């Protein structure tokens, strides 16, 4: 490179740094405000983290010999690792002239963070990796070995220790990540400058708080290349729009299909693109498909209750569907929180002898909240009370970014740190990815509804207690629900663990089927047959314990969608009817799908 070219490169670098500094100066007031808010939450210990760690520390101190033995064992293991690394490096250099490292621990070989070959091939990086893994195992073992600790404290310490250990991974630091070091050398450090620009961009979007870009938001547009299955909005309430989809078959099943998605996210996770759209697939199977598209609430809807979501959601939708089709009986699907609402509604309908729902399907839905998994860390009375106060200050709703952050933390390595490395350390732009575009489309929740849900379901687990929850003026008893139910859960679900959702078919009184899919909460559901991915398990019996069910279950390749189709077939009226065009019945079309409720994005404000 000529001196002139070097000077130009240095000038461009200086301009980039100056531009970042200017943006940082403008962001300082917003960052200060955000840090002030976070500090209040930290010092008040709303999550009870400090109290939990103190309890574990106090109990550990009562057995100093055990702690000393554990620390001695760690020191010995660490010395052995250092010795083996040194001897391995010296031996390799003596025989081949190049250094190699000892093999990584076998139990850690599947860790995607350390997929780069240099984590094993380079002695220094291998030592750093294995030192980190050794320390991680030591800390986690010590936490588990502490006795006489309350389950709540142990759960919090276990979870937040993992969060801290994940953050401390050598993959997250430029000087210890071999891929980042190679990129620094290849770009002469420009990747770090680009990464700093990306970091400032995400701070600006987060208004002083870091909002990591997971995908290119400009790559997708609702109604064009996501949420593009043709349909119309045919009905709406303050809380939802009802979408009816254009038929793709000459005749359709007489009983239409209603899908209740969760209002924690947007409905179009089931209609990302034609190749992986459950909605399009269901239309192609001859269903008249209706989907609820929930509103993104603001302060005007702060007092909307869980009861309101039922009344102005699926109950209103079923009345509208009868007007549109002339048919009372329907098949119902509830996804996640939408499934919990569906169970509540079925309890109300059972008490009122309302038999309009001929079958119900639960996608990864909790009905019994006794084992909520890691989400339970965030739900106790102290935290809900603190959340109530925060929501009241903001106008009576939960910001979508808060819930999104909580869910991302459940899979921090995949949904936080991988993007931190890619965007900021490597200086790369995020890839266009439809699922992550949807994941970034955050939604708010009204305070009245959300606190009822957290207290009645998560904290008190009242849905499992006949008569403990009253909705529509009716005490709910799920054992009175005789509607045939299909439960599909996924084996790697971190939001609704399958061992918890397995309680659902035992609580309902009908003839129920439980199926377990591969992968997680989203990928295991959005798994079209054409993709031929993963597998699923079925079992005609429903033993009490989930482990017993899985041990005797039959594994099948591919998607569970075909299994569901075969199960739901007997619950459709045998007679088919001419395909129904949205807007052709008593309900007229309001606008094209996906509708304005779905198109409203918080990050576009």
């Amino acid at each position: 490179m000529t001196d002139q070219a070097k000077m130009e490169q240095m000038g461009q670098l200086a301009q980039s740094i100056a531009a970042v500094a200017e943006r940082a100066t403008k962001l300082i007031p917003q960052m200060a405000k955000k840090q002030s808010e976070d500090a209040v939450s930290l010092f008040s210990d709303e999550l009870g983290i400090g109290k939990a760690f103190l309890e574990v520390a106090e109990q550990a101190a009562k057995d100093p010999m055990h702690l000393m033995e554990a620390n001695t064992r760690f020191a010995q293991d660490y010395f052995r690792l250092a010795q083996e690394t040194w001897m391995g490096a010296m031996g390799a250099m003596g025989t081949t002239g190049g250094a190699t490292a000892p093999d990584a621990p076998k139990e850690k070989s599947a860790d995607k963070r350390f997929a780069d070959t240099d984590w094993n091939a380079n002695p220094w990086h291998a030592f750093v990796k294995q030192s980190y893994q050794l320390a991680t195992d030591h800390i986690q073992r010590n936490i588990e070995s502490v006795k006489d600790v309350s389950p709540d404290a142990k759960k919090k310490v276990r979870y937040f220790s993992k969060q801290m250990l994940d953050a401390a991974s050598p993959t997250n630091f430029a000087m210890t990540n071999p891929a980042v070091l190679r990129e620094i050398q290849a770009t002469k450090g420009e990747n770090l400058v680009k990464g700093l620009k990306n970091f400032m961009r995400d701070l600006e979007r987060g208004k002083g708080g870091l909002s990591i870009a997971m995908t290119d938001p400009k790559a997708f547009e609702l109604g064009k290349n996501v949420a593009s299955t043709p349909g119309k909005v045919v009905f709406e309430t303050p809380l939802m729009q009802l979408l009816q989809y254009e038929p793709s078959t000459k005749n359709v099943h007489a009983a239409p299909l209603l899908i209740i998605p969760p209002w924690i996210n947007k409905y179009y996770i089931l209609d990302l693109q034609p190749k992986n759209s459950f909605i399009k697939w269901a239309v192609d199977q001859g269903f008249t498909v209706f989907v609820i598209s929930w509103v993104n609430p603001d302060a005007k809807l702060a007092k909307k209750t869980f009861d309101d979501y039922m009344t102005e959601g699926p109950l209103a939708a079923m009345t509208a569907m009868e007007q549109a089709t002339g048919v009372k009986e329907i098949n119902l699907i509830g996804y996640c929180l939408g499934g919990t609402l569906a169970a509540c509604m079925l309890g109300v309908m059972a008490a009122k002898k309302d038999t309009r729902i001929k079958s119900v399907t639960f996608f990864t839905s909790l009905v019994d909240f006794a084992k909520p998994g890691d989400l339970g860390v965030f739900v106790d009375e102290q935290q809900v009370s603190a959340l109530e106060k925060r929501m009241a200050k903001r106008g009576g709703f939960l910001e979508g970014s808060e819930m999104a952050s909580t869910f991302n933390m459940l899979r921090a390595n995949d949904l936080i740190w991988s993007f931190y490395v890619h965007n900021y350390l490597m200086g790369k732009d995020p890839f266009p990815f439809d699922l992550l575009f949807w994941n970034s489309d955050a939604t708010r929740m009204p305070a009245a509804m959300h606190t009822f849900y957290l207290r009645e379901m998560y904290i008190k687990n009242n849905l499992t207690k006949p008569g403990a929850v009253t909705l529509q003026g009716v005490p709910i008893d799920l054992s009175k629900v005789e509607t045939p139910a299909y439960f599909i859960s996924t084996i790697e679900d971190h939001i609704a663990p399958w061992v918890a959702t397995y309680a659902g078919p035992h609580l309902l009184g009908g003839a129920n089927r439980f199926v377990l899919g591969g992968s997680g909460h989203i990928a295991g559901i959005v798994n079209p047959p054409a993709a031929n991915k993963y597998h699923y398990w079925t079992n005609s019996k429903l033993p009490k314990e989930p482990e017993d069910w899985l041990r005797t279950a039959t594994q099948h390749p591919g998607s569970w969608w075909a299994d569901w189709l075969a199960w739901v077939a007997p619950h459709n009226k045998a007679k088919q009817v001419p395909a129904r065009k949205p807007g052709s019945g008593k309900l007229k079309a309001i606008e094209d799908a996906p509708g304005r409720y779905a198109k409203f994005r918080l990050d576009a404000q």
Side-chain angles (χ1 to χ4, degrees):
M1 182 181 292
T2 65
D3 290 343
Q4 178 66 27
K6 289 180 181 178
M7 289 295 291
E8 290 178 358
Q9 188 179 54
M10 290 297 292
Q12 291 172 355
L13 187 62
Q15 288 177 1
S16 297
I17 294 173
V20 169
E22 183 180 358
R23 292 169 73 179
T25 301
K26 293 177 181 177
L27 268 171
I28 286 174
Q30 289 181 328
M31 292 173 65
K33 180 182 178 183
K34 184 69 171 61
Q35 292 301 317
S36 176
E37 293 173 353
D38 291 345
V40 171
S41 175
L42 177 64
F43 288 120
S44 61
D45 195 19
E46 292 177 356
L47 296 178
I49 303 171
K51 181 181 177 182
F53 272 86
L54 181 61
E55 181 181 338
V56 171
E58 287 176 344
Q59 292 303 119
K62 292 180 180 179
D63 190 357
M65 287 303 298
H66 174 76
L67 194 61
M68 186 180 299
E69 288 172 1
N71 288 335
T72 300
R73 187 163 56 249
F74 172 69
Q76 291 172 340
D77 290 343
Y78 190 84
F79 178 76
R80 186 180 303 112
L81 172 63
Q83 186 178 43
E84 289 175 356
T85 301
W86 175 255
M87 295 296 291
M90 290 299 98
M93 286 190 289
T95 57
T96 65
T100 59
D103 292 336
K106 291 182 180 179
E107 67 273 13
K108 297 292 182 179
S109 60
D111 193 332
K112 292 185 291 185
R113 293 175 296 177
F114 300 102
D116 191 289
T117 56
D118 271 353
W119 286 115
N120 285 331
N122 182 290
W124 161 247
H125 290 301
F127 176 71
V128 169
K129 177 193 72 170
Q130 292 177 63
S131 296
Y132 166 74
Q133 293 174 337
L134 191 65
T136 297
D137 290 343
H138 168 71
I139 293 169
Q140 291 174 333
R141 279 199 306 268
N142 279 357
I143 290 170
E144 296 303 324
S145 68
V146 179
K147 300 177 181 178
D148 300 322
V149 176
S150 67
D152 183 62
K154 178 67 75 72
K155 182 169 58 178
K156 287 182 179 179
V157 170
R158 181 189 296 122
Y159 176 81
F160 286 104
S161 293
K162 185 178 185 306
Q163 293 295 317
M164 289 184 279
L165 290 168
D166 287 345
S169 170
T171 55
N172 299 334
F173 298 90
M175 292 300 100
T176 50
N177 187 321
V180 176
L181 289 172
R182 289 197 302 270
E183 191 70 13
I184 292 172
Q185 185 176 22
T187 67
K188 303 295 190 293
E190 289 182 12
N191 62 304
L192 297 180
V193 177
K194 177 66 185 303
L196 190 55
K197 286 182 179 179
N198 291 343
F199 183 78
M200 298 307 300
R201 173 204 63 202
D202 291 348
L203 277 177
E204 289 170 342
R205 189 175 63 254
K207 298 178 181 178
L210 189 61
S211 176
I212 301 176
M214 296 183 178
T215 188
D216 179 5
K218 297 178 182 178
F220 300 98
E221 182 180 349
L222 267 69
K224 295 291 179 66
N225 55 356
V226 289
S228 59
T229 300
K232 302 287 184 183
V233 176
V234 295
F235 178 76
E236 64 185 39
T237 70
L239 285 178
M240 67 90 177
Q241 289 189 316
L242 184 65
L243 312 182
Q244 180 183 353
Y245 288 91
E246 298 279 356
S248 62
T249 56
K250 183 178 179 181
N251 296 309
V252 295
H253 302 296
L257 175 67
L258 173 63
I259 300 175
I260 311 174
W263 51 88
I264 292 175
N265 298 105
K266 301 277 184 75
Y267 84 89
Y268 65 89
I269 186 59
L270 295 175
D271 188 31
L272 289 173
Q273 297 190 59
K275 65 181 180 181
N276 60 2
S277 170
F278 179 85
I279 288 171
K280 182 182 183 303
W281 177 83
V283 168
D284 291 343
Q285 307 313 307
F287 286 96
T288 303
V289 178
F290 291 82
V291 176
I292 288 174
S293 174
W294 297 104
V295 74
N296 212 326
D298 56 17
K300 296 176 184 177
L301 300 173
K303 294 184 179 179
K304 289 292 184 180
T305 64
F306 196 90
D307 213 327
D308 291 329
Y309 267 75
M310 182 187 300
T311 304
E312 299 177 32
L315 285 175
M318 284 193 291
T319 301
M321 289 167 65
E322 184 179 349
Q323 290 180 275
T325 65
V327 176
K328 287 186 177 181
E329 297 176 343
I330 72 164
N331 294 296
L332 182 67
I333 292 176
Y335 194 167
C336 188
L337 179 50
T340 306
L341 180 65
C344 292
M345 184 174 70
L346 284 164
V348 169
M349 295 175 72
K352 294 183 176 181
K353 310 299 182 184
D354 186 339
T355 59
R356 285 178 291 169
I357 298 177
K358 307 316 293 180
S359 77
V360 59
T361 300
F362 295 93
F363 289 0
T364 61
S365 300
L366 285 168
V367 180
D368 183 336
F369 289 75
K371 301 175 182 177
D374 284 340
L375 268 179
V377 170
F378 298 95
V379 188
D380 55 37
E381 184 53 43
Q382 177 185 344
Q383 294 182 70
V384 174
S385 296
L387 180 62
E388 243 173 347
K389 293 175 183 176
R390 289 206 308 274
M391 289 192 290
K393 286 182 180 179
R394 291 173 182 167
F397 58 85
L398 179 68
E399 279 290 358
S401 58
E402 288 192 50
M403 184 58 70
S405 296
T406 299
F407 283 120
N408 289 344
M409 284 177 66
L410 298 179
R411 292 178 55 204
N413 287 327
D414 290 333
L415 296 177
I416 297 176
W417 295 114
S418 66
F419 294 100
Y420 177 89
V421 173
H422 181 270
N423 296 2
Y424 307 147
L425 301 186
M426 298 293 287
K428 306 288 187 182
D429 291 323
F431 298 108
F433 188 9
D434 55 1
L435 185 111
L436 292 176
F437 174 80
W438 166 85
N439 190 61
S440 301
D441 195 356
T443 54
R444 301 187 184 114
M445 277 174 286
M449 179 284 302
H450 195 50
T451 52
F452 174 91
Y453 170 62
L454 293 178
R455 285 197 173 100
E456 295 298 318
M457 312 300 176
Y458 272 96
I459 296 178
K460 299 177 183 178
N461 198 19
N462 274 343
L463 268 186
T464 63
K465 306 166 188 174
V469 175
T470 297
L471 294 167
Q472 300 281 301
V474 176
I476 291 175
D477 183 352
L478 293 181
S479 68
K480 304 297 184 185
V481 176
E482 296 183 355
T483 305
Y486 183 103
F487 285 79
I488 171 65
S489 296
T490 55
I491 197 164
E492 297 174 10
D493 198 329
H494 60 289
I495 295 172
W498 82 270
V499 293
T501 62
Y502 183 77
H506 295 82
L507 287 171
L508 273 60
N512 304 323
R513 179 173 177 80
F514 185 86
V515 175
L516 184 62
S519 195
H521 192 74
I522 301 300
I525 297 299
V526 185
N527 181 28
N532 197 30
K533 292 176 64 177
Y534 312 128
H535 43 258
Y536 64 97
W537 292 265
T538 62
N539 194 334
S540 59
K541 297 179 180 179
L542 279 172
K544 183 178 179 181
E545 298 301 326
E547 292 80 8
D548 293 336
W549 181 94
L550 183 59
R551 188 174 59 254
T552 57
T554 301
Q555 182 176 315
H556 310 271
S559 171
W560 57 269
W561 290 12
D563 181 81
W564 172 81
L565 187 63
W567 175 86
V568 80
H571 305 296
N572 291 311
K573 290 185 176 179
K575 184 182 75 170
Q576 293 210 336
V577 299
R580 302 150 173 144
K581 187 174 179 63
S584 62
K586 292 182 180 179
L587 288 183
K588 301 305 176 185
I590 297 172
E591 60 181 325
D592 289 337
R596 64 188 186 282
Y597 283 19
K599 288 183 177 179
F600 176 79
R601 285 184 69 96
L602 291 176
D603 59 11
Q605 290 183 297

